[in-house]
Amino acid sequence: FTQVKALRGTEMGNWLASHTVASFESWTRMRQAAQQREVTLDEIRDKWLAREAPALIDADILICSEPFWLCPLLASKRSQAMVGILHMSILNEFPFTDQESLAQFWFYFKAMMEDRKMLTSVSCRITGEQVRHQSGWRVPYVPFIGLGVHARYAPGQLRQALLFRNN
């Protein structure tokens, strides 16, 4: 679910838009319907994913990220393995507030982890600790690396710092 905003109208933005499997607008509508209790978690799993993003269910390779709470729902529908990357907390943007939906999510999450259908990692150590605290599973920390960066370090005249924080 990619929102092509800053790149809209550019060559890369047009490419992203043409390769987006499910629109950001469909995701927004689904999330709003869930918040208003017009759709259940199982309806999202059984109907919405198949209607809005069938390619996610059938893809040979799937990298699942944000919103991560959809990943266990997808894993329950797929026969192929997946790669999962958590940048934020497990339930970031989870639209449900009732205990039944939360219990259903944890049921799907547990099944996904026990079936080893997803190779899951975190990109931030604190996210890894959140996952461990919430679920009991320790997920490997795989930091971002810049393989395509050709810059060399040379101290500048001014003392400047670049800080990267992902959550």
Side-chain angles (χ1 to χ4, degrees):
F1 308 99
T2 301
Q3 183 178 22
V4 180
K5 191 173 182 180
L7 297 175
R8 185 174 287 134
T10 66
E11 183 180 342
M12 181 54 72
N14 294 337
W15 183 88
L16 279 171
S18 69
H19 288 81
T20 298
V21 174
S23 71
F24 189 78
E25 291 77 19
S26 68
W27 149 252
T28 301
R29 284 191 306 274
M30 177 273 291
R31 192 179 68 187
Q32 288 171 346
Q35 288 170 335
Q36 296 168 2
R37 303 185 61 98
E38 296 170 358
V39 64
T40 67
L41 192 68
D42 280 337
E43 288 173 330
I44 292 169
R45 175 188 170 266
D46 296 334
K47 296 177 184 172
W48 185 83
L49 283 170
R51 182 182 66 241
E52 296 293 330
L56 297 178
I57 296 168
D58 299 331
D60 291 332
I61 299 171
L62 181 63
I63 300 173
C64 199
S65 187
E66 307 300 336
F68 191 83
W69 66 267
L70 284 173
C71 299
L73 305 183
L74 274 167
S76 72
K77 304 293 280 182
R78 289 175 51 85
S79 58
Q80 307 93 327
M82 301 165 52
V83 174
I85 304 166
L86 270 155
H87 303 288
M88 304 293 282
S89 64
I90 295 175
L91 291 167
N92 184 43
E93 296 196 44
F94 188 70
F96 299 95
T97 57
D98 61 290
Q99 290 297 317
E100 183 181 338
S101 296
L102 196 57
Q104 284 176 303
F105 166 80
W106 287 115
F107 170 81
Y108 291 126
F109 181 86
K110 181 178 186 237
M112 175 187 74
M113 296 300 280
E114 287 178 348
D115 291 346
R116 298 186 182 264
K117 281 190 172 184
M118 183 171 341
L119 305 170
T120 307
S121 68
V122 295
S123 60
C124 178
R125 291 176 198 243
I126 195 166
T127 303
E129 293 304 318
Q130 287 173 339
V131 171
R132 184 173 171 267
H133 178 76
Q134 289 178 314
S135 71
W137 272 281
R138 184 170 293 283
V139 178
Y141 164 62
V142 181
F144 291 113
I145 56 174
L147 295 178
V149 176
H150 299 289
R152 303 266 187 243
Y153 174 75
Q157 297 287 334
L158 301 174
R159 294 185 55 105
Q160 297 177 341
L162 173 64
L163 175 64
F164 172 76
R165 184 175 182 273
N166 71 334
N167 61 330

